[in-house]
């Protein structure tokens, strides 16, 4: 296999998690009586551009079926994050009724509704029918298509180039990162701004976030690699911010390569930090597998110990990262009775692979577990405060990443 960005032959494995079902393939009760498809889950690293990427495998397109259950607005902290961003960027770029904003992967409209409220024309791009429909109900125009160079060129030809193109947690999920970036270039006005948020590879490595690896997550990105991808598409990163979201993300600000804005010190400083933390040395990448294995082993030891002690352990958050962790560890309902999730679309379904039943959060009150393992550790504060009543019967909260911790 060749690198998806630079074409170099990939010879180094960053992480091998064996086989796993697609992390968003939640199962109905009827599905439990049929065979379940598992795909290889192996991540390679390119020693030329340092793009960390999923290995190609057959039938990759099967993963992108339409029944996508994730609605952004169900996470209150994410919702607040989006609102803050919309207010700040509107002021920073002086956006108004004459401006045009495009969001790629606009989901259920959690972000664009803030621009609609401010009277700024916008367009969402979202191929998933259920979430696109939810956004349209909020008065947001949505194009139900995948974004890439073709669509970017089409938008430009229709006079729909944007002052701001924004994409939160989409860049790491696109199979063809070069094509997507060329689309950004095509759809951007001459003095326009691109902002993209994606989890930072440096945090993944340093915080042992191996559970953020799944099939639909094609790229694991450093500032260095993204700046190379941008450069080859005629774009430039002129500013970067570090965010706490998703365990440590970057928000990059891009423009056309010949834009008048000068590249800020933030870009050079972070680029230097990545070098000093070893992101351009092969040994950094080759040392990651043992760290992932330790987390898996520690969680299994904890769950088995609790089972033997007769304790009741459940999980909270039917998130993709939970599926990676549970499936790598081979966890089944004998070790974790069920998982609670506030998203109605996931309730009454089952986690892929592990087959944990997904119940409404009220199940915690009814079952009074001794331990609640929070699978999406990035929203642990939110989950513990919403479920603090569990402490009344001595219930404790647990996270597995970056190391097993009883909160
Ligand atoms: Zn490469």
């Amino acid at each position: 296999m060749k690198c998806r960005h630079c074409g170099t032959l990939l010879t180094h494995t960053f992480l091998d998690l064996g086989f796993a079902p697609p992390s968003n393939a939640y199962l109905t009760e009827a599905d439990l009586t049929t065979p379940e498809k598992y795909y290889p889950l192996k991540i390679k690293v390119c020693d030329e551009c340092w793009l960390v990427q999923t290995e190609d495998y057959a039938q990759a397109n099967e993963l992108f079926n339409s029944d996508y259950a994730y609605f952004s607005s169900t996470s209150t902290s994410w919702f607040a994050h989006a609102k803050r961003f919309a207010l700040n960027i509107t002021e920073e770029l002086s956006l108004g009724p004459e401006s045009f904003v495009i969001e790629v992967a606009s989901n259920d409209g959690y972000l664009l509704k803030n621009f609609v409220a401010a009277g700024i024309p916008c367009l969402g791009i979202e191929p998933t029918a259920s979430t696109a429909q939810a956004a349209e109900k909020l008065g947001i125009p949505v194009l139900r298509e995948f974004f890439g160079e073709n669509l970017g060129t089409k938008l430009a030809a229709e006079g729909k180039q944007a002052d701001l193109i924004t994409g939160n947690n989409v860049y790491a999920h696109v199979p063809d990162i070069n094509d997507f970036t060329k689309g950004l270039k095509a759809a951007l006005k001459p003095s326009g701004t691109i902002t993209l948020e994606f989890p930072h590879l440096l945090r993944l490595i340093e915080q042992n976030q191996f559970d953020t690896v799944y099939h639909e997550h094609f790229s694991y990105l450093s500032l260095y690699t993204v700046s190379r991808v941008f450069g080859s598409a005629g774009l430039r990163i002129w500013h970067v911010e570090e965010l706490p979201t998703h365990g440590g993300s970057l928000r990059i600000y891009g423009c056309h390569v010949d834009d008048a804005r000068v590249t800020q010190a933030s870009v050079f400083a972070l680029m230097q930090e990545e070098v000093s933390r070893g992101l351009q040395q092969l040994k950094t990448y080759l040392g990651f597998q043992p760290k992932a294995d330790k987390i898996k082993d520690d969680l299994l030891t904890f769950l088995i110990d609790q089972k033997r002690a007769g304790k009741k352990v459940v999980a909270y958050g039917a998130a993709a990262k939970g599926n990676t962790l549970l499936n790598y560890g081979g966890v089944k309902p004998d070790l974790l009775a069920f998982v609670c999730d506030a998203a109605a679309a996931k309730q009454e379904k089952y986690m892929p692979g592990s087959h944990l039943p997904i119940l409404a959060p009220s199940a915690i009150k009814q079952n009074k577990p001794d331990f609640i393992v929070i699978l999406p550790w990035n929203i642990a504060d939110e989950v513990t405060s919403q479920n603090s009543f569990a402490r009344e019967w001595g219930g404790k909260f647990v996270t597995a990443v970056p190391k097993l911790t009883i909160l």
Side-chain angles (χ1 to χ4, degrees):
M1 179 191 165
K2 289 180 174 170
C3 171
R4 290 200 190 94
H5 170 57
C6 74
T8 299
L9 195 67
L10 298 178
T11 55
H12 304 290
T13 297
F14 172 63
L15 184 65
D16 186 351
L17 297 178
F19 280 64
S23 67
N24 279 316
Y26 297 93
L27 305 169
T28 62
E29 192 149 5
D31 292 331
L32 297 182
T33 61
T34 62
E36 192 173 6
K37 271 204 173 176
Y38 277 57
Y39 301 83
L41 186 48
K42 202 185 226 187
I43 310 295
K44 307 291 256 187
V45 58
C46 173
D47 58 11
E48 163 56 30
C49 72
W50 303 109
L51 178 62
V52 174
Q53 52 202 295
T54 51
E55 189 176 68
D56 287 330
Y57 50 90
Q59 290 110 34
N61 52 357
E62 283 182 10
L63 295 175
F64 298 97
N65 57 25
S66 59
D67 194 18
Y68 185 66
Y70 183 76
F71 283 73
S72 297
S73 296
T74 54
S75 167
T76 51
S77 55
W78 180 245
F79 183 74
H81 170 78
K83 186 170 185 176
R84 232 174 6 252
F85 168 70
L87 290 173
N88 291 343
I89 197 81
T90 297
E91 195 181 305
E92 208 172 306
L93 301 179
S94 306
L95 300 174
E98 306 298 314
S99 311
F100 187 51
V101 175
I102 293 176
E103 186 188 12
V104 185
S106 50
N107 200 275
D108 57 9
Y110 72 100
L111 175 66
L112 286 181
K113 69 177 192 178
N114 297 295
F115 292 101
V116 169
I120 300 165
C122 60
L123 174 69
I125 296 168
E126 176 55 66
T128 307
S130 54
T131 47
Q133 216 165 28
E136 283 164 345
K137 280 186 188 151
L138 300 172
I140 300 161
V142 180
L143 260 185
R144 298 181 188 200
E145 290 185 54
F146 283 101
F147 188 78
E149 190 175 16
N150 280 340
L151 184 56
T153 307
K154 195 175 129 205
L155 289 167
E158 292 170 358
K160 289 180 182 162
Q161 282 185 325
D163 298 276
L164 170 66
I165 306 178
T166 184
N168 291 332
N169 296 302
V170 58
Y171 204 46
H173 288 78
V174 296
D176 188 343
I177 196 168
N178 289 341
D179 179 70
F180 184 93
T181 311
K182 286 176 192 162
L184 295 175
K185 167 84 180 172
L188 188 68
K189 266 188 198 165
S191 58
T193 300
I194 297 163
T195 70
L196 297 175
E197 288 180 28
F198 49 83
H200 192 191
L201 176 63
L202 181 62
R203 304 297 159 220
L204 183 156
I205 291 176
E206 295 198 335
Q207 299 292 311
N208 304 332
Q209 298 162 352
F210 85 96
D211 56 343
T212 63
V213 168
Y214 44 90
H215 299 104
E216 302 91 326
H217 193 171
F218 284 87
S219 306
Y220 303 84
L221 299 163
S222 62
L223 179 63
Y224 171 76
T225 299
V226 174
S227 71
R228 277 185 65 152
V229 178
F230 263 49
S232 68
L235 296 168
R236 173 166 58 85
I237 297 171
W238 58 271
H239 180 41
V240 62
E241 291 169 343
E242 291 185 82
L243 307 173
T245 45
H246 293 279
S249 296
L250 297 183
R251 178 188 289 145
I252 56 155
Y253 293 76
C255 59
H256 291 288
V257 71
D258 54 0
D259 191 281
R261 284 172 285 197
V262 294
T263 303
Q264 297 188 9
S266 57
V267 177
F268 302 111
L270 190 56
M271 210 78 98
Q272 189 48 49
E273 189 189 345
E274 288 185 349
V275 171
S276 68
R277 304 286 189 94
L279 283 198
Q280 289 167 34
Q281 292 174 48
L282 191 57
K283 67 173 188 201
T284 304
Y285 298 92
L286 300 185
F288 190 64
Q289 180 89 38
K291 295 163 86 176
D293 289 348
K294 182 176 181 341
I295 287 177
K296 183 253 302 171
D297 294 349
D298 288 350
L299 176 66
L300 280 177
T301 304
F302 171 79
L303 293 176
I304 292 167
D305 286 350
Q306 299 312 324
K307 183 182 177 184
R308 287 184 173 150
K311 303 287 185 191
K312 203 187 288 179
V313 189
V314 305
Y316 195 100
K321 56 172 72 72
N323 287 322
T324 295
L325 177 65
L326 300 182
N327 286 324
Y328 187 46
V331 175
K332 296 284 184 285
D334 66 306
L335 293 177
L336 273 176
F338 57 83
V339 56
C340 290
D341 199 287
K346 289 180 184 172
Q347 291 166 10
E348 309 303 319
K349 290 189 172 164
Y350 295 82
M351 299 278 267
S354 66
H355 296 183
L356 264 53
I358 306 171
L359 306 178
S362 58
I364 290 180
K365 247 179 198 149
Q366 288 153 15
N367 287 274
K368 298 192 169 43
D370 299 293
F371 293 98
I372 300 161
V373 179
I374 302 171
L375 298 173
W377 38 259
N378 52 305
I379 56 166
D381 290 346
E382 185 179 330
V383 174
T384 45
S385 71
Q386 281 170 357
N387 297 278
S388 57
F389 54 82
R391 301 205 189 269
E392 288 164 22
W393 64 79
K396 295 187 175 77
F397 297 89
V398 180
T399 49
V401 175
K403 62 182 173 59
L404 193 87
T405 308
I406 296 172
L407 304 170

PDB file of all heavy atoms in Angstrom, residues 282-301:
ATOM      1  N   LEU A 282      10.891   7.621  13.496  1.00  0.00           N
ATOM      2  CA  LEU A 282      10.154   6.370  13.367  1.00  0.00           C
ATOM      3  C   LEU A 282       9.941   5.667  14.709  1.00  0.00           C
ATOM      4  O   LEU A 282       8.899   5.082  14.963  1.00  0.00           O
ATOM      5  CB  LEU A 282      10.914   5.450  12.389  1.00  0.00           C
ATOM      6  CG  LEU A 282      10.152   4.205  11.935  1.00  0.00           C
ATOM      7  CD1 LEU A 282       8.819   4.552  11.291  1.00  0.00           C
ATOM      8  CD2 LEU A 282      11.018   3.384  10.989  1.00  0.00           C
ATOM      9  N   LYS A 283      10.923   5.755  15.603  1.00  0.00           N
ATOM     10  CA  LYS A 283      10.829   5.001  16.876  1.00  0.00           C
ATOM     11  C   LYS A 283       9.631   5.453  17.718  1.00  0.00           C
ATOM     12  O   LYS A 283       9.066   4.671  18.477  1.00  0.00           O
ATOM     13  CB  LYS A 283      12.139   5.090  17.658  1.00  0.00           C
ATOM     14  CG  LYS A 283      12.470   6.471  18.163  1.00  0.00           C
ATOM     15  CD  LYS A 283      13.690   6.434  19.073  1.00  0.00           C
ATOM     16  CE  LYS A 283      13.857   7.807  19.703  1.00  0.00           C
ATOM     17  NZ  LYS A 283      15.116   8.160  20.210  1.00  0.00           N
ATOM     18  N   THR A 284       9.227   6.725  17.588  1.00  0.00           N
ATOM     19  CA  THR A 284       8.052   7.221  18.311  1.00  0.00           C
ATOM     20  C   THR A 284       6.812   6.416  17.912  1.00  0.00           C
ATOM     21  O   THR A 284       5.983   6.054  18.746  1.00  0.00           O
ATOM     22  CB  THR A 284       7.827   8.710  17.985  1.00  0.00           C
ATOM     23  OG1 THR A 284       9.020   9.417  18.301  1.00  0.00           O
ATOM     24  CG2 THR A 284       6.651   9.285  18.755  1.00  0.00           C
ATOM     25  N   TYR A 285       6.689   6.144  16.621  1.00  0.00           N
ATOM     26  CA  TYR A 285       5.522   5.439  16.108  1.00  0.00           C
ATOM     27  C   TYR A 285       5.583   3.948  16.425  1.00  0.00           C
ATOM     28  O   TYR A 285       4.573   3.327  16.742  1.00  0.00           O
ATOM     29  CB  TYR A 285       5.407   5.669  14.595  1.00  0.00           C
ATOM     30  CG  TYR A 285       5.210   7.139  14.266  1.00  0.00           C
ATOM     31  CD1 TYR A 285       6.290   7.969  13.995  1.00  0.00           C
ATOM     32  CD2 TYR A 285       3.936   7.690  14.286  1.00  0.00           C
ATOM     33  CE1 TYR A 285       6.115   9.317  13.730  1.00  0.00           C
ATOM     34  CE2 TYR A 285       3.748   9.042  14.015  1.00  0.00           C
ATOM     35  CZ  TYR A 285       4.840   9.850  13.744  1.00  0.00           C
ATOM     36  OH  TYR A 285       4.653  11.186  13.501  1.00  0.00           O
ATOM     37  N   LEU A 286       6.783   3.394  16.361  1.00  0.00           N
ATOM     38  CA  LEU A 286       6.906   1.951  16.572  1.00  0.00           C
ATOM     39  C   LEU A 286       6.726   1.580  18.048  1.00  0.00           C
ATOM     40  O   LEU A 286       6.489   0.425  18.379  1.00  0.00           O
ATOM     41  CB  LEU A 286       8.260   1.450  16.043  1.00  0.00           C
ATOM     42  CG  LEU A 286       8.488   1.697  14.536  1.00  0.00           C
ATOM     43  CD1 LEU A 286       9.804   1.070  14.076  1.00  0.00           C
ATOM     44  CD2 LEU A 286       7.335   1.167  13.689  1.00  0.00           C
ATOM     45  N   GLY A 287       6.806   2.559  18.948  1.00  0.00           N
ATOM     46  CA  GLY A 287       6.650   2.271  20.376  1.00  0.00           C
ATOM     47  C   GLY A 287       5.221   2.366  20.876  1.00  0.00           C
ATOM     48  O   GLY A 287       4.966   2.257  22.083  1.00  0.00           O
ATOM     49  N   PHE A 288       4.254   2.559  20.000  1.00  0.00           N
ATOM     50  CA  PHE A 288       2.890   2.818  20.454  1.00  0.00           C
ATOM     51  C   PHE A 288       2.099   1.551  20.809  1.00  0.00           C
ATOM     52  O   PHE A 288       1.304   1.545  21.749  1.00  0.00           O
ATOM     53  CB  PHE A 288       2.129   3.628  19.395  1.00  0.00           C
ATOM     54  CG  PHE A 288       0.809   4.146  19.886  1.00  0.00           C
ATOM     55  CD1 PHE A 288       0.752   5.059  20.921  1.00  0.00           C
ATOM     56  CD2 PHE A 288      -0.383   3.709  19.326  1.00  0.00           C
ATOM     57  CE1 PHE A 288      -0.469   5.535  21.399  1.00  0.00           C
ATOM     58  CE2 PHE A 288      -1.602   4.184  19.798  1.00  0.00           C
ATOM     59  CZ  PHE A 288      -1.643   5.101  20.826  1.00  0.00           C
ATOM     60  N   GLN A 289       2.313   0.470  20.074  1.00  0.00           N
ATOM     61  CA  GLN A 289       1.532  -0.755  20.301  1.00  0.00           C
ATOM     62  C   GLN A 289       1.593  -1.259  21.762  1.00  0.00           C
ATOM     63  O   GLN A 289       0.553  -1.583  22.347  1.00  0.00           O
ATOM     64  CB  GLN A 289       1.991  -1.863  19.342  1.00  0.00           C
ATOM     65  CG  GLN A 289       1.246  -3.181  19.499  1.00  0.00           C
ATOM     66  CD  GLN A 289      -0.014  -3.253  18.631  1.00  0.00           C
ATOM     67  OE1 GLN A 289      -0.025  -2.782  17.513  1.00  0.00           O
ATOM     68  NE2 GLN A 289      -1.076  -3.819  19.164  1.00  0.00           N
ATOM     69  N   PRO A 290       2.770  -1.307  22.387  1.00  0.00           N
ATOM     70  CA  PRO A 290       2.813  -1.784  23.781  1.00  0.00           C
ATOM     71  C   PRO A 290       1.996  -0.905  24.732  1.00  0.00           C
ATOM     72  O   PRO A 290       1.436  -1.398  25.711  1.00  0.00           O
ATOM     73  CB  PRO A 290       4.307  -1.713  24.131  1.00  0.00           C
ATOM     74  CG  PRO A 290       5.039  -1.673  22.835  1.00  0.00           C
ATOM     75  CD  PRO A 290       4.118  -1.041  21.852  1.00  0.00           C
ATOM     76  N   LYS A 291       1.898   0.400  24.436  1.00  0.00           N
ATOM     77  CA  LYS A 291       1.106   1.292  25.294  1.00  0.00           C
ATOM     78  C   LYS A 291      -0.382   0.961  25.168  1.00  0.00           C
ATOM     79  O   LYS A 291      -1.127   0.969  26.153  1.00  0.00           O
ATOM     80  CB  LYS A 291       1.367   2.752  24.902  1.00  0.00           C
ATOM     81  CG  LYS A 291       2.815   3.195  25.162  1.00  0.00           C
ATOM     82  CD  LYS A 291       3.173   4.451  24.411  1.00  0.00           C
ATOM     83  CE  LYS A 291       2.789   5.717  25.164  1.00  0.00           C
ATOM     84  NZ  LYS A 291       3.230   6.939  24.438  1.00  0.00           N
ATOM     85  N   ALA A 292      -0.816   0.669  23.951  1.00  0.00           N
ATOM     86  CA  ALA A 292      -2.217   0.280  23.733  1.00  0.00           C
ATOM     87  C   ALA A 292      -2.514  -1.041  24.432  1.00  0.00           C
ATOM     88  O   ALA A 292      -3.550  -1.203  25.089  1.00  0.00           O
ATOM     89  CB  ALA A 292      -2.488   0.151  22.235  1.00  0.00           C
ATOM     90  N   ASP A 293      -1.591  -1.974  24.345  1.00  0.00           N
ATOM     91  CA  ASP A 293      -1.794  -3.283  24.964  1.00  0.00           C
ATOM     92  C   ASP A 293      -1.917  -3.170  26.477  1.00  0.00           C
ATOM     93  O   ASP A 293      -2.705  -3.873  27.103  1.00  0.00           O
ATOM     94  CB  ASP A 293      -0.639  -4.224  24.594  1.00  0.00           C
ATOM     95  CG  ASP A 293      -0.685  -4.639  23.127  1.00  0.00           C
ATOM     96  OD1 ASP A 293      -1.724  -4.387  22.483  1.00  0.00           O
ATOM     97  OD2 ASP A 293       0.314  -5.195  22.634  1.00  0.00           O
ATOM     98  N   LYS A 294      -1.158  -2.267  27.078  1.00  0.00           N
ATOM     99  CA  LYS A 294      -1.207  -2.120  28.536  1.00  0.00           C
ATOM    100  C   LYS A 294      -2.592  -1.634  28.979  1.00  0.00           C
ATOM    101  O   LYS A 294      -3.146  -2.122  29.968  1.00  0.00           O
ATOM    102  CB  LYS A 294      -0.128  -1.157  29.023  1.00  0.00           C
ATOM    103  CG  LYS A 294      -0.133  -1.043  30.545  1.00  0.00           C
ATOM    104  CD  LYS A 294       0.972  -0.180  31.081  1.00  0.00           C
ATOM    105  CE  LYS A 294       1.005  -0.072  32.596  1.00  0.00           C
ATOM    106  NZ  LYS A 294      -0.166  -0.403  33.350  1.00  0.00           N
ATOM    107  N   ILE A 295      -3.167  -0.690  28.249  1.00  0.00           N
ATOM    108  CA  ILE A 295      -4.502  -0.191  28.595  1.00  0.00           C
ATOM    109  C   ILE A 295      -5.542  -1.295  28.498  1.00  0.00           C
ATOM    110  O   ILE A 295      -6.386  -1.471  29.374  1.00  0.00           O
ATOM    111  CB  ILE A 295      -4.866   0.989  27.673  1.00  0.00           C
ATOM    112  CG1 ILE A 295      -4.034   2.198  28.096  1.00  0.00           C
ATOM    113  CG2 ILE A 295      -6.360   1.298  27.732  1.00  0.00           C
ATOM    114  CD1 ILE A 295      -4.217   3.404  27.257  1.00  0.00           C
ATOM    115  N   LYS A 296      -5.448  -2.061  27.438  1.00  0.00           N
ATOM    116  CA  LYS A 296      -6.370  -3.187  27.237  1.00  0.00           C
ATOM    117  C   LYS A 296      -6.216  -4.196  28.383  1.00  0.00           C
ATOM    118  O   LYS A 296      -7.193  -4.640  28.983  1.00  0.00           O
ATOM    119  CB  LYS A 296      -6.078  -3.830  25.876  1.00  0.00           C
ATOM    120  CG  LYS A 296      -6.989  -4.958  25.474  1.00  0.00           C
ATOM    121  CD  LYS A 296      -6.345  -6.316  25.546  1.00  0.00           C
ATOM    122  CE  LYS A 296      -5.104  -6.507  24.710  1.00  0.00           C
ATOM    123  NZ  LYS A 296      -4.429  -7.780  24.990  1.00  0.00           N
ATOM    124  N   ASP A 297      -4.994  -4.544  28.723  1.00  0.00           N
ATOM    125  CA  ASP A 297      -4.741  -5.531  29.787  1.00  0.00           C
ATOM    126  C   ASP A 297      -5.240  -5.022  31.144  1.00  0.00           C
ATOM    127  O   ASP A 297      -5.844  -5.773  31.913  1.00  0.00           O
ATOM    128  CB  ASP A 297      -3.234  -5.841  29.890  1.00  0.00           C
ATOM    129  CG  ASP A 297      -2.709  -6.541  28.642  1.00  0.00           C
ATOM    130  OD1 ASP A 297      -3.531  -6.962  27.805  1.00  0.00           O
ATOM    131  OD2 ASP A 297      -1.475  -6.645  28.501  1.00  0.00           O
ATOM    132  N   ASP A 298      -4.974  -3.760  31.446  1.00  0.00           N
ATOM    133  CA  ASP A 298      -5.391  -3.200  32.741  1.00  0.00           C
ATOM    134  C   ASP A 298      -6.912  -3.174  32.875  1.00  0.00           C
ATOM    135  O   ASP A 298      -7.461  -3.448  33.942  1.00  0.00           O
ATOM    136  CB  ASP A 298      -4.835  -1.776  32.912  1.00  0.00           C
ATOM    137  CG  ASP A 298      -3.331  -1.774  33.158  1.00  0.00           C
ATOM    138  OD1 ASP A 298      -2.765  -2.865  33.373  1.00  0.00           O
ATOM    139  OD2 ASP A 298      -2.726  -0.684  33.126  1.00  0.00           O
ATOM    140  N   LEU A 299      -7.605  -2.825  31.787  1.00  0.00           N
ATOM    141  CA  LEU A 299      -9.066  -2.801  31.850  1.00  0.00           C
ATOM    142  C   LEU A 299      -9.617  -4.210  32.068  1.00  0.00           C
ATOM    143  O   LEU A 299     -10.494  -4.435  32.908  1.00  0.00           O
ATOM    144  CB  LEU A 299      -9.652  -2.198  30.560  1.00  0.00           C
ATOM    145  CG  LEU A 299     -11.187  -2.219  30.504  1.00  0.00           C
ATOM    146  CD1 LEU A 299     -11.798  -1.302  31.557  1.00  0.00           C
ATOM    147  CD2 LEU A 299     -11.705  -1.840  29.113  1.00  0.00           C
ATOM    148  N   LEU A 300      -9.071  -5.181  31.329  1.00  0.00           N
ATOM    149  CA  LEU A 300      -9.548  -6.561  31.461  1.00  0.00           C
ATOM    150  C   LEU A 300      -9.314  -7.080  32.877  1.00  0.00           C
ATOM    151  O   LEU A 300     -10.188  -7.712  33.475  1.00  0.00           O
ATOM    152  CB  LEU A 300      -8.838  -7.468  30.451  1.00  0.00           C
ATOM    153  CG  LEU A 300      -9.400  -7.420  29.027  1.00  0.00           C
ATOM    154  CD1 LEU A 300      -8.564  -8.299  28.103  1.00  0.00           C
ATOM    155  CD2 LEU A 300     -10.853  -7.880  29.005  1.00  0.00           C
ATOM    156  N   THR A 301      -8.148  -6.787  33.427  1.00  0.00           N
ATOM    157  CA  THR A 301      -7.840  -7.225  34.792  1.00  0.00           C
ATOM    158  C   THR A 301      -8.852  -6.635  35.769  1.00  0.00           C
ATOM    159  O   THR A 301      -9.387  -7.337  36.631  1.00  0.00           O
ATOM    160  CB  THR A 301      -6.409  -6.784  35.176  1.00  0.00           C
ATOM    161  OG1 THR A 301      -5.514  -7.309  34.204  1.00  0.00           O
ATOM    162  CG2 THR A 301      -6.024  -7.285  36.546  1.00  0.00           C
TER     163      THR A 301
END
